[in-house]
Amino acid sequence: MAEFVRPAHRDINVLRWLAAYTASVTGDVVYFLALSWAATRTGGPSQAGLVVAAGALPRAVLMLGGGVVADRFGPRRVAVISDTVRCVVILTVAAALMSASPGVWLLVAVALIFGVVDAVFMPAVGALPPRVTTTGQLARVQGMRGLSIRLSNAVGPLLAGAVLATGGAAGAFAAAGVLFAGSLAVLLPVRIATPAEAPRRASARHELGDGLRYVRRHRTLASLVAVIGLSEMCFSGPVATGLVLLADERGWGASGMGWVASAFSVGGAAAGLILTVSPRIPRAGLAMSGALLVTAAGAVALGQAPSLPAAVGFGALIGLTSGLTTVVTGALVQTETDPRYLGRVTSVTTLCTLGLAPALFPVVGVTVALWGADAFFAGCGAICLSAAVLGLAVPVLRRAELRPPKTGSAAPNDRNVPTG
């Protein structure tokens, strides 16, 4: 008789992980808003840009190394230590700000420390889902994670605004620290599966090279990472800037921009909810490419929208299909990856998301200024289309499925694990 597997959304162990993740992401949102607010009040917009960049730079530079740390010491241990460090640092800063005004260099130092810790935390937390649930439940867990992110991005700004209005930057930093402490308290009792020990390499540099070779030689992951980079390039930030410029160009105002952005978030939340309760995703590879095709068409249509209601509708459609793509690609990565390499593979996919999107920010304004907002959204559609074509053109991606491996079988694609 087949063993009963509890659905992820009814598994207390998964729900503990989800609660810890939600508290951590909400803490991130509150922290970044508090940091930007304090920097702006202290040194103006230019100094705020310097402070934010101080946190983004080490996160991008050290992200791949963070994956090595997660794989070498275990993602749960690394996530717990990271949350502890973030909690202590942010609460210390909050205490310092209660007795003195923040200086720019103090905020830069905090941003640098936070960026370094984030570079370790993000690959670790991304590698945890396969350790807290079965392979067949990964799509549901990714859907739950998507819902968590949408909830955190909705609640975080409201909480930060309320605390900044009543307690200033010190109160907001304290609120972020409390959220990190709550995340840590819930994460500690989470039970995880421990995979077979990976052979210890001579150095962290060797392990990093080993992980990059693993991705490059893996028939599915190499193409999947390219699809993730292309699909996330526009929707990790540049589209938000494009929406502002589109609303200004069409005369919809700030409220119109807000309606479209909200519709995008609602669509993403709907995708997460649907995939959380769905028992399985048949033909996952084709579903991913199909969602990308619809996203590409929706992006072009949004740039051509004749009215605000039409733009809101297209925004919801893009949110739904891009949310579906994010869940499926995330689940495929975790299904295909040998658990010993999950931290390093997660660091590569995260770097693709964070590294490629910022490169488009300067392009947004230039494109809209020269050719209009419709040209920018047409470009986003073309990038999504290229991701969809890649997904359809590569046979292993086109035929990819989300299914648990047979009991006693080797890890997926073990033959692709490099030995040198």
Side-chain angles (χ1 to χ4, degrees):
M1 182 179 294
E3 182 181 355
F4 172 73
V5 177
R6 188 181 299 276
H9 59 284
R10 297 178 182 174
D11 187 334
I12 187 62
N13 199 48
V14 174
L15 294 177
R16 286 195 188 105
W17 167 81
L18 184 68
Y21 182 74
T22 303
S24 181
V25 174
T26 306
D28 277 340
V29 174
V30 174
Y31 156 75
F32 281 115
L33 290 174
L35 184 71
S36 300
W37 174 270
T40 301
R41 296 296 294 269
T42 301
S46 62
Q47 298 295 335
L50 170 66
V51 171
V52 173
L57 183 61
R59 183 176 61 184
V61 171
L62 301 175
M63 183 68 67
L64 294 178
V68 173
V69 173
D71 284 336
R72 174 174 284 196
F73 299 103
R76 181 181 179 276
R77 181 186 302 173
V78 172
V80 166
I81 294 174
S82 300
D83 256 350
T84 302
V85 172
R86 297 198 297 178
C87 179
V88 170
V89 169
I90 299 306
L91 289 178
T92 301
V93 173
L97 295 183
M98 289 179 182
S99 57
S101 298
V104 170
W105 292 112
L106 171 63
L107 299 176
V108 167
V110 172
L112 282 170
I113 295 172
F114 207 90
V116 171
V117 176
D118 250 8
V120 178
F121 175 78
M122 295 178 76
V125 77
L128 274 175
R131 308 283 182 90
V132 300
T133 190
T134 61
T135 306
Q137 295 295 314
L138 284 175
R140 275 180 166 161
V141 171
Q142 291 299 319
M144 295 163 70
R145 185 180 181 183
L147 274 173
S148 168
I149 292 172
R150 301 294 179 182
L151 176 64
S152 299
N153 286 333
V155 173
L158 296 176
L159 176 60
V163 179
L164 283 168
T166 56
F173 278 117
V178 169
L179 284 166
F180 293 141
S183 171
L184 178 63
V186 181
L187 184 61
L188 285 172
V190 171
R191 303 184 309 276
I192 67 167
T194 304
E197 287 292 328
R200 185 58 56 89
R201 303 300 180 184
S203 66
R205 181 179 179 181
H206 194 138
E207 289 190 30
L208 175 57
D210 187 29
L212 294 176
R213 285 191 296 272
Y214 174 74
V215 173
R216 187 177 71 249
R217 297 175 184 177
H218 196 294
R219 293 178 303 167
T220 303
L221 287 178
S223 301
L224 189 57
V225 166
V227 170
I228 290 172
L230 290 169
S231 63
E232 293 287 344
M233 189 182 295
C234 289
F235 296 98
S236 294
V239 159
T241 304
L243 284 178
V244 174
L245 298 175
L246 177 67
D248 181 66
E249 184 180 278
R250 303 294 170 83
W252 297 335
S255 62
M257 180 272 297
W259 276 105
V260 180
S262 295
F264 182 88
S265 295
V266 169
L273 181 60
I274 291 170
L275 295 175
T276 295
V277 300
S278 175
R280 64 185 295 265
I281 303 175
R283 299 176 180 260
L286 284 176
M288 173 192 73
S289 298
L292 283 168
L293 287 173
V294 177
T295 303
V300 176
L302 176 59
Q304 302 287 339
S307 64
L308 178 57
V312 170
F314 289 129
L317 175 65
I318 293 172
L320 178 67
T321 55
S322 63
L324 173 64
T325 300
T326 299
V327 170
V328 173
T329 54
L332 283 174
V333 165
Q334 294 180 337
T335 300
E336 293 289 336
T337 303
D338 184 319
R340 297 170 297 175
Y341 288 85
L342 263 173
R344 280 164 285 181
V345 173
T346 302
S347 71
V348 172
T349 58
T350 305
L351 184 61
C352 284
T353 302
L354 296 176
L356 293 176
L360 279 184
F361 279 111
V363 178
V364 179
V366 173
T367 302
V368 174
L370 293 178
W371 299 291
D374 56 341
F376 166 72
F377 283 98
C380 289
I383 292 172
C384 281
L385 179 62
S386 65
V389 170
L390 178 60
L392 292 171
V394 178
V396 290
L397 283 186
R398 189 173 63 248
R399 297 194 296 264
E401 293 283 358
L402 291 171
R403 57 177 179 266
K406 295 180 181 178
T407 304
S409 64
N413 293 293
D414 258 354
R415 61 185 177 277
N416 292 319
V417 179
T419 59

